[in-house]
């Protein structure tokens, strides 16, 4: 069975509806899974690495509104009966996954209520993640938001070493790069992380969870 959690929790009978149409693919950094206002032709069940769902405001900086790792999939619009993406979704930490055409996924979804409910459960979890993100972005300090994001990223990779730059984090957190640098320096001074060029290593998860000040909810399981 695959390591993607939606697929791994299906019965053999339900998985058999998808298996002939699934293709193993590499997911390099910056690979586009969905493009804003474009039709979704392929759906990816991520098995390693993770993708960011990024909203683009008119004449304003982009901001990440969600993360998708091995717990999930892109293409929730397909599950909801639509065919176009509202945001950009692209790989931020390289990995691999299983790809299926949107048409084949629709066919399987229509044949199996169990599969449909499994994808709806993930859609609900993703909605909770995005609403918590909105709350954190509007109410929390940058240090708390940075701690929360690092924990969410750590949930979705193997090991505790994150290949991330300050510039990338500023986009994900919707803030200026100097603010991210100050936040990471504070977390490092507290002994929660270490940083080096393009990498951040988490060394104290419990301390990082405390620093997130209640904004972090583990939703990748």
């Amino acid at each position: 069975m695959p390591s993607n959690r939606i697929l791994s929790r299906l019965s053999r009978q339900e998985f058999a509806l998808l298996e002939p149409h699934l293709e193993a693919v590499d997911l390099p950094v910056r690979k586009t899974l969905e493009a804003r206002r474009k039709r979704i032709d392929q759906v990816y069940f991520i098995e390693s690495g993770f993708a960011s769902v990024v909203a683009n405001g008119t004449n304003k900086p982009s901001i990440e509104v969600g993360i998708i790792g091995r717990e999930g999939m892109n293409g929730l619009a397909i599950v909801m009966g639509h065919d176009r993406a509202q945001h950009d979704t692209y790989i931020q930490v390289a990995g691999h996954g299983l790809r299926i055409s949107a048409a084949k996924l629709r066919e399987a979804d229509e044949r199996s209520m169990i599969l449909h409910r499994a994808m709806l459960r993930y859609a609900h979890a993703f909605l909770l993640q995005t609403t918590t993100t909105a709350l954190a972005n509007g109410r929390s300090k940058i240090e708390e938001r940075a701690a929360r994001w690092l924990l969410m990223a750590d949930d979705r990779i193997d090991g505790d070493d994150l290949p991330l730059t300050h510039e990338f984090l500023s986009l994900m957190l919707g803030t200026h790069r100097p603010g991210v640098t100050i936040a990471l320096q504070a977390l490092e001074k507290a002994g929660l992380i270490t940083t080096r060029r393009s990498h951040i290593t988490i060394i104290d998860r419990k301390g990082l969870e405390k620093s997130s000040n209640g904004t972090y909810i583990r939703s990748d399981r």
Side-chain angles (χ1 to χ4, degrees):
M1 292 294 287
S3 58
N4 176 274
R5 293 195 179 104
I6 296 175
L7 299 181
S8 67
R9 290 168 178 167
L10 296 176
S11 68
R12 290 188 177 276
Q13 180 180 1
E14 304 304 323
F15 181 64
L17 296 174
L18 300 174
E19 188 174 18
H21 313 295
L22 291 169
E23 175 189 5
V25 292
D26 290 328
L27 299 173
V29 174
R30 294 291 175 173
K31 176 177 176 58
T32 298
L33 306 188
E34 294 182 16
R36 182 174 55 138
R37 298 176 182 171
K38 301 293 185 180
R39 189 175 65 184
I40 302 169
D41 293 321
Q42 305 285 340
V43 173
Y44 295 81
F45 292 90
I46 296 176
E47 298 207 286
S48 65
F50 65 82
S52 291
V53 182
V54 178
N56 299 278
T58 304
N59 299 322
K60 293 184 179 181
S62 301
I63 185 171
E64 182 187 74
V65 295
I67 296 177
I68 305 169
R70 70 188 71 186
E71 81 287 354
M73 57 187 280
N74 76 298
L76 290 180
I78 301 297
V79 180
M80 302 297 180
H82 300 281
D83 65 352
R84 292 186 181 271
Q86 295 301 310
H87 305 296
D88 294 322
T89 301
Y90 49 84
I91 296 296
Q92 290 291 11
V93 172
H96 64 273
L98 296 169
R99 180 173 64 190
I100 187 172
S101 73
K104 292 298 182 181
L105 182 63
R106 283 193 197 92
E107 289 178 10
D109 187 35
E110 290 172 358
R111 292 176 61 187
S112 170
M113 181 57 68
I114 294 175
L115 173 61
H116 183 69
R117 287 174 177 168
M119 293 190 291
L120 283 183
R121 281 195 297 271
Y122 170 65
H124 179 255
F126 185 77
L127 176 61
L128 291 178
Q129 181 198 144
T130 59
T131 54
T132 305
T133 296
L135 181 62
N137 287 344
R139 298 279 183 86
S140 301
K141 299 176 182 178
I142 181 63
E143 293 88 350
E144 296 167 347
R145 291 162 55 198
R148 173 182 182 267
W149 195 93
L150 291 172
L151 288 163
M152 291 174 63
D154 188 50
D155 287 343
R156 291 162 172 83
I157 65 167
D158 297 317
D160 296 309
D161 187 53
L162 303 168
L164 305 169
T165 65
H166 292 200
E167 182 179 1
F168 161 69
L169 274 175
S170 68
L171 171 63
M172 296 304 97
L173 297 174
T175 190
H176 297 297
R177 181 173 174 176
V180 170
T181 300
I182 292 171
L184 293 179
Q185 288 174 343
L187 295 175
E188 187 165 23
K189 185 176 180 180
L192 307 180
I193 64 171
T194 59
T195 64
R196 65 184 192 278
R197 184 177 178 83
S198 301
H199 282 269
I200 299 170
T201 302
I202 294 174
I203 58 177
D204 184 355
R205 267 195 66 101
K206 289 186 178 179
L208 207 58
E209 289 180 20
K210 185 176 180 180
S211 291
S212 72
N213 196 24
T215 62
Y216 165 71
I217 300 173
R218 187 158 191 160
S219 60
D220 67 311
R221 297 303 182 189

